[in-house]
Amino acid sequence: MKNLRKPFPVLAQYIYFNTAASGLLSEKVLEFRQDHDLDFLISGSILKDKQGKLISQVRESVGKFFKCEPHRVALVPNFSFGFNTLMESIDKSKKVLLLEGDYPSINWAVTSRDFKVCYADLNENLEATIEAAINDQKPDVFAFSIIQYISGIKLSISFLKTLKEKYPDIIFVADGTQFCGTEDFNFDDSGIDVLLCSSYKWLNAGYGNGFVLFNENVQGKIAPRSLGFNSVKGKYKEAEGNLIGKFEPGHQDTLNFGSLKVALELLTEVGMEKVQSNISELSKQAKNEFASLGLLQEDVVNRDTHSSIFNIKGDDKLFNYLRSNNVICAQRGKGIRLSFHYFNTSEEIENLVLLLKKFLNK
């Protein structure tokens, strides 16, 4: 476990339970960034002459990591940029199904446009609620987070795949920002039509980079309007009117996208099987401990599986108490959000539980 923690110096100072807000910068990514900017300092545009090759390598790395052909991988600065571009590409006469209380960058981007909108309640029976809403409302698009950013409630990929098989004409659009990097994921086998992700959380890739994955069948169902000189520059984008090019109209930052490539290399080195196993064990431990202390909402307690994001009952006093004891977490919704990545440990959760018990028994 020590070797898994070594690339992240922050872990020597704090109990870092805040990946859901911001992932950590690894030494490996820092080294790349320092070398990159030193090259830029001493070589100027000579470095940028190699931009196309690096961006293609990033696209290929993302595609390999998530099992999606590189010609269906768009590189974007963040989820919101990609999602708004996507929403502009869908006919406004379409009906969109959302989850009540989902991430604002999803719901606001939809409701600020002229779509017909319907909702599914976010509760312990979420899967049944979604399917009932689809049967009742008959949406054209279903836009959702795979993992909810406040509660940590998670939709299983197998459920989404089965749902897509039942309703093949609905466009499934997923926010993977709180999901990608937590388990091995085969996009082409998921049933999802479009997945978008900011990479600064669970991928630990730093800020300013993200990606969009497209199912082969979605082409022709969306019509992006963004265009620029970069839309037809580089490998996989030679053809005018190509889909990924319309999500990449302008300059792309080799520093930020190169950081994503290096971050994926680190996760590959650790092994996604190891990542997924560690996260699963930490999630089970945390859920049992928090439930026994009465700190979880019933809709989380009653679900069979959960992510490693938890929102425990607590106010400013508890939040400040945890921060004063070097526990890095966040206030979200009506509680305190704690999130555990593969480099966290069972001992850290035990220390957290001791702190919670001490606070609750005051």
Side-chain angles (χ1 to χ4, degrees):
M1 181 59 70
K2 184 177 179 181
N3 290 336
L4 296 183
R5 295 168 64 83
K6 187 176 182 298
F8 305 99
V10 173
L11 301 177
Q13 306 177 58
Y14 301 103
I15 298 177
Y16 195 84
F17 291 158
N18 206 27
T19 298
S22 177
L24 297 178
L25 185 70
S26 70
E27 292 175 335
K28 191 172 183 179
V29 172
L30 175 63
E31 289 170 5
F32 164 78
R33 294 170 75 88
Q34 290 176 324
D35 291 344
H36 176 282
D37 274 0
L38 179 59
D39 286 346
F40 193 22
L41 178 71
I42 63 178
S43 63
S45 66
I46 296 173
L47 172 67
K48 293 302 179 182
D49 290 342
K50 306 172 185 177
Q51 175 174 328
K53 182 178 180 181
L54 176 59
I55 294 298
S56 294
Q57 290 174 345
V58 176
R59 198 187 314 281
E60 289 161 1
S61 294
V62 172
K64 182 179 180 180
F65 193 87
F66 294 107
K67 286 82 173 179
C68 177
E69 292 295 326
H71 71 274
R72 294 186 278 113
V73 177
L75 301 176
V76 294
N78 53 59
F79 166 84
S80 295
F81 176 91
F83 190 69
N84 277 276
T85 302
L86 179 67
M87 288 300 101
E88 282 298 309
S89 75
I90 297 174
D91 191 293
K92 298 305 181 291
S93 66
K94 302 297 185 183
K95 181 185 283 189
V96 182
L97 173 64
L98 301 172
L99 301 181
E100 196 74 56
D102 206 340
Y103 192 52
S105 290
I106 299 174
N107 288 10
W108 291 354
V110 173
T111 57
S112 67
R113 292 171 168 87
D114 294 326
F115 295 110
K116 302 169 187 174
V117 179
C118 55
Y119 293 91
D121 289 335
L122 189 56
N123 55 41
E124 64 186 81
N125 301 309
L126 180 57
E127 292 80 4
T129 303
I130 290 171
E131 188 155 10
I134 288 176
N135 283 323
D136 183 48
Q137 298 291 337
K138 297 179 173 48
D140 303 291
V141 179
F142 175 33
F144 58 95
S145 296
I146 298 174
I147 296 177
Q148 290 298 307
Y149 79 110
I150 292 180
S151 67
I153 287 177
K154 175 184 176 182
L155 287 169
S156 76
I157 300 303
S158 60
F159 163 74
L160 293 170
K161 181 179 179 180
T162 300
L163 195 66
K164 178 64 178 180
E165 290 170 351
K166 289 182 180 179
Y167 307 97
D169 294 331
I170 298 175
I171 300 174
F172 282 39
V173 179
D175 175 9
T177 302
Q178 296 289 11
F179 168 75
C180 293
T182 64
E183 65 180 63
D184 194 26
F185 174 58
N186 186 326
F187 172 74
D188 280 347
D189 193 46
S190 69
I192 297 169
D193 293 296
V194 185
L195 180 138
L196 308 95
C197 178
S198 288
S199 309
Y200 67 92
K201 296 181 187 283
W202 301 89
L203 295 172
N204 298 304
Y207 290 78
N209 58 72
F211 54 87
V212 188
L213 310 179
F214 298 96
N215 185 290
E216 195 78 61
N217 297 327
V218 83
Q219 299 204 47
K221 296 180 180 179
I222 60 175
R225 301 175 185 177
S226 299
L227 283 172
F229 190 42
N230 194 57
S231 295
V232 292
K233 289 185 67 177
K235 189 178 179 183
Y236 306 111
K237 297 196 300 180
E238 298 92 340
E240 187 174 349
N242 67 85
L243 181 60
I244 63 173
K246 292 182 179 179
F247 282 77
E248 302 177 359
H251 291 290
Q252 289 175 296
D253 189 342
T254 49
L255 176 70
N256 289 330
F257 286 115
S259 298
L260 172 57
K261 178 176 180 291
V262 175
L264 293 178
E265 289 169 356
L266 177 57
L267 280 170
T268 300
E269 184 181 318
V270 172
M272 286 309 297
E273 184 177 342
K274 179 68 173 175
V275 169
Q276 184 169 338
S277 174
N278 284 7
I279 290 175
S280 177
E281 289 302 313
L282 293 171
S283 175
K284 290 174 185 175
Q285 178 187 0
K287 184 178 179 181
N288 289 336
E289 295 285 6
F290 296 157
S292 69
L293 292 173
L295 294 175
L296 295 179
Q297 299 293 333
E298 286 300 309
D299 56 357
V300 171
V301 174
N302 292 336
R303 287 179 65 81
D304 292 333
T305 59
H306 191 73
S307 72
S308 62
I309 299 174
F310 293 88
N311 200 294
I312 64 172
K313 299 171 185 177
D315 54 14
D316 291 345
K317 289 182 180 180
L318 177 56
F319 176 73
N320 292 329
Y321 168 76
L322 292 175
R323 289 299 295 262
S324 69
N325 282 278
N326 291 327
V327 178
I328 308 302
C329 50
Q331 290 180 291
R332 292 291 185 273
K334 297 179 180 180
I336 298 168
R337 187 179 66 185
L338 298 146
S339 47
F340 315 111
H341 209 344
Y342 74 91
F343 46 64
N344 290 123
T345 66
S346 175
E347 290 75 20
E348 287 180 316
I349 293 180
E350 290 173 4
N351 290 337
L352 170 66
V353 171
L354 289 175
L355 288 171
L356 290 171
K357 288 179 177 177
K358 183 178 178 181
F359 180 86
L360 294 171
N361 291 328
K362 281 183 180 179

